[in-house]
């Protein structure tokens, strides 16, 4: 059973739009395109690996409705992607999240009938939750013979699903993709895209956009406010050779990138989308005129209304910084 042999909502995964952004950096003499992954039915790029990691097992009869239990650690998009796929196939899903997971995401998971386990205490040494969440997943899987852990951090089907993402981009641009800017966490998206690029002899320069405070490329661990990109533990999928270049961005860079995307292009996007916009701005002086640059916008902004798009939240964490995006003409307000 391939994705195109399914019926129902899951057939709408993939084939997301690639749109040209003429306004985001008007002085850049290159074409900028955005792959808008919020159009996947679960709202993010993670729908692709979610279906990819489960479908083969369902097809082989290894995962059975009302009997098998899927267990994964994720506090955001992968959780929602898996919850949706499990609901469709009648599989029980236990999602291990942590105290930083938003109420909205927990509500979405519960709407899909997932069981949500919240890890309350971070690792005492690093102050991070990921290692504790993964320990809890192992415990759950060890005690239940019907449990399956897709393990997005190590499963090769995660990057393989993103070869399709790159195929869609390459075909839309007749194979001419000069720069690909992609955020990293499990590194599945970037690895899959780069695998496609190499298999097809493309000359695309792959730019990994990582968070300041993420350990992926050997930088010191630090506090990060914006979920999605970055990692506190280097995943098994990590391969340093997948990136031609690495750009680190701060939380504030993400906020500014997101706000500019909304004001200039009318795109309400998630934190890691702001990260790729910020990275493009940093790289702009090195991008040759006429290049095709593709930004992967991993999710939408609706899940960040209380943070990135809240003036009060931004003020609390960064002070008064609205001048960084307020060069834009605002809405006309008329009073009568
Ligand atoms: C919003 C967002 N952006 C970027 C990423 C990084 O993608 P990957 O795990 O494929 O490296 C994630 C991963 O969860 C994400 O949720």
């Amino acid at each position: 059973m391939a994705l195109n042999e399914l019926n129902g909502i899951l057939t709408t995964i993939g084939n997301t739009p690639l749109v040209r952004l003429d306004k985001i950096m008007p002085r850049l003499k290159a074409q900028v395109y955005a792959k808008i992954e919020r159009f996947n039915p679960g709202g993010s790029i993670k729908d692709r690996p979610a279906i990819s990691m489960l479908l083969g097992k369902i097809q082989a009869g290894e995962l059975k409705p009302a009997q098998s239990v899927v267990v994964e650690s994720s506090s955001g998009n992968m959780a929602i992607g898996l919850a949706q796929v499990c609901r469709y196939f009648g599989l029980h899903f236990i999602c291990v999240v942590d105290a930083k997971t938003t109420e909205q995401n927990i509500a979405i998971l519960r709407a899909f009938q997932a069981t949500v386990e919240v890890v309350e205490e971070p690792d005492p040494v690093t102050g991070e939750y990921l290692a504790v969440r993964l320990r809890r997943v192992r415990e759950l899987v060890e005690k239940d013979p019907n449990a399956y852990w897709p393990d997005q951090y190590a499963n090769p089907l995660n990057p393989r699903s993103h070869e399709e993402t790159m195929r869609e981009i390459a075909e839309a641009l007749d194979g001419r993709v000069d720069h690909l800017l992609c955020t990293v966490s499990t590194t599945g998206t970037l690895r899959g895209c780069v695998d496609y690029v190499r298999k097809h002899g493309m000359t695309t320069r792959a730019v990994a956009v990582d968070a300041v405070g993420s350990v992926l490329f050997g930088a010191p661990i630090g506090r990060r406010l914006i979920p999605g990109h970055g990692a506190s533990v280097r995943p098994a999928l990590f391969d340093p050779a997948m990136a031609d270049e690495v750009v680190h961005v701060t939380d504030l860079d993400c906020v500014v990138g997101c706000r500019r995307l909304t004001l200039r292009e009318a795109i309400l996007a998630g934190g890691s989308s702001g990260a790729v916009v910020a990275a493009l701005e940093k790289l702009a002086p090195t991008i040759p005129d006429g290049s095709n640059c593709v930004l992967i916008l991993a999710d939408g902004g609706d899940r960040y209304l209380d943070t990135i798009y809240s003036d009060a939240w931004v003020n609390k964490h960064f002070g008064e910084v609205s001048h960084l995006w307020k060069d834009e003409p605002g809405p006309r307000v008329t009073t009568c």
Side-chain angles (χ1 to χ4, degrees), residues 46 77 158 162 183-189 228-229 272 298-299 304:
K46 289 291 180 177
N77 290 323
N158 171 3
H162 294 295
T183 44
V184 277
S185 180
T186 66
T187 69
T189 311
H229 59 299
S272 68
D299 65 358
Y304 304 81

Side-chain angles (χ1 to χ4, degrees), residues 1-296:
M1 182 173 38
L3 195 51
N4 60 8
E5 292 167 41
L6 285 172
N7 289 319
I9 189 67
L10 303 180
T11 58
T12 66
I13 295 174
N15 290 313
T16 50
L18 184 76
V19 301
R20 181 143 165 197
L21 307 185
D22 287 332
K23 301 178 179 187
I24 191 69
M25 287 189 63
R27 283 191 290 275
L28 187 70
K29 294 195 178 71
Q31 297 74 244
V32 180
Y33 297 89
K35 183 75 168 158
I36 308 196
E37 290 294 306
R38 70 171 301 166
F39 281 89
N40 286 300
S44 85
I45 196 158
K46 289 291 180 177
D47 286 6
R48 297 173 184 265
I51 184 71
S52 156
M53 292 190 297
L54 296 185
L55 196 58
K57 297 251 168 209
I58 294 166
Q59 182 182 19
E62 291 170 41
L63 291 177
K64 295 189 181 68
Q67 184 181 333
S68 304
V69 183
V70 175
V71 186
E72 184 58 286
S73 153
S74 165
S75 51
N77 290 323
M78 178 58 91
I80 292 169
L82 286 171
Q84 178 172 253
V85 174
C86 288
R87 186 66 252 135
Y88 184 82
F89 287 107
L91 304 168
H92 183 199
F93 177 42
I94 302 178
C95 190
V96 180
V97 306
D98 62 51
K100 289 204 290 196
T101 308
T102 63
E103 279 176 27
Q104 188 188 18
N105 281 359
I106 291 179
I108 295 171
L109 294 174
R110 294 210 165 115
F112 283 125
Q113 303 291 297
T115 300
V116 179
E117 268 225 20
V118 186
V119 164
E120 301 285 356
E121 294 299 324
D123 185 285
V125 180
T126 61
E128 291 281 342
Y129 287 98
L130 182 57
V132 189
R133 282 190 345 216
L134 293 175
R135 271 202 297 280
R136 181 63 188 140
V137 168
R138 280 189 200 99
E139 277 169 20
L140 288 166
V141 173
E142 274 161 23
K143 74 174 190 213
D144 185 346
N146 290 316
Y148 168 62
W149 176 22
D151 193 0
Q152 60 163 332
Y153 296 94
N155 191 329
L157 295 172
N158 171 3
R160 198 162 312 149
S161 70
H162 294 295
E163 290 186 37
E164 192 59 16
T165 314
M166 191 65 208
R167 181 192 64 73
E168 293 166 18
I169 295 169
E171 288 184 4
L173 295 176
D174 291 329
R176 233 205 94 196
V177 184
D178 301 304
H179 290 76
L180 176 76
L181 283 78
C182 176
T183 44
V184 277
S185 180
T186 66
T187 69
T189 311
L190 185 67
R191 258 195 89 156
C193 289
V194 169
D195 286 347
Y196 182 94
V197 160
R198 292 188 182 150
K199 280 181 196 169
H200 291 80
M202 295 170 68
T203 54
T204 309
R205 191 168 171 76
V207 181
V209 181
D210 197 7
V212 169
S214 159
V215 302
L216 285 171
F217 290 91
I221 196 164
R223 197 170 85 106
R224 289 175 288 122
L225 295 173
I226 297 180
H229 59 299
S232 55
V233 176
R234 195 178 265 175
L237 287 175
F238 180 80
D239 171 5
M242 71 189 140
D244 297 304
E245 190 164 0
V246 182
V247 177
H248 282 91
V249 295
T250 63
D251 287 328
L252 178 58
D253 290 333
C254 295
V255 171
V256 175
C258 282
R259 296 292 191 114
R260 287 188 180 156
L261 257 181
T262 312
L263 293 172
R264 296 181 187 173
E265 296 282 353
I267 295 175
L268 188 68
S272 68
S273 303
V276 287
V277 169
L280 181 69
E281 287 172 1
K282 287 179 201 282
L283 290 180
T286 67
I287 293 177
D289 290 357
S291 305
N292 278 350
C293 304
V294 175
L295 314 180
I296 297 193

